[in-house]
């Protein structure tokens, strides 16, 4: 994750995202840079417009949140149903005990 953060920091500072700069950022943060991971990051970002990717992610995030809202509402309903079932079971158990001492 810190490799991606280094690339984002370089992008924000309008610096070139290259192996040397990413390694320097990681070193300054006290992270021992793995050359293979740095090279893989640089290769994967070669044709990526980071600003466009950030804008796309920012637009997609609210949509994902809206899709998660109904799921959250359903999840809230389930505990109530479970509580009702537990209460009914307790009432039935209490009624059974009453018959013992009847």
């Amino acid at each position: 994750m810190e490799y991606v953060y280094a690339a984002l920091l370089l992008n924000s500072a309008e610096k070139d995202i290259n192996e040397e700069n990413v390694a320097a950022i990681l070193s300054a943060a006290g992270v021992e840079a793995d050359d293979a991971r740095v090279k893989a990051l640089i290769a994967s970002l070669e044709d990526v417009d980071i600003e466009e990717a950030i804008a796309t992610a920012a637009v997609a995030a609210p949509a994902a949140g809206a899709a998660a809202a109904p799921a959250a509402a359903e999840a809230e309903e389930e505990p109530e149903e479970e509580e009702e079932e537990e209460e009914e079971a307790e009432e039935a158990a209490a009624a059974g005990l009453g018959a013992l001492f009847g």
Side-chain angles (χ1 to χ4, degrees):
M1 191 58 94
E2 57 271 1
Y3 293 81
V4 174
Y5 291 146
L8 289 172
L9 181 61
L10 288 167
N11 181 69
S12 176
E14 298 179 357
K15 303 288 184 185
D16 288 336
I17 302 173
N18 57 38
E19 292 175 29
E20 184 179 314
N21 289 347
V22 170
I25 294 284
L26 293 172
S27 177
V31 176
E32 187 175 331
D34 179 8
D35 291 335
R37 290 180 74 183
V38 172
K39 288 180 182 184
L41 173 72
I42 300 306
S44 66
L45 292 176
E46 189 172 305
D47 296 326
V48 174
D49 180 359
I50 294 177
E51 294 300 325
E52 183 180 329
I54 291 171
T56 302
V59 170
E74 290 176 14
E76 290 177 8
E77 292 175 8
E78 289 177 13
E80 292 176 9
E81 292 174 2
E82 290 175 7
E83 289 176 11
E84 291 175 8
E85 290 174 5
E86 287 177 16
E87 289 176 9
E88 290 173 4
E90 288 175 5
E91 290 173 6
L97 287 176
L100 288 174
F101 299 105

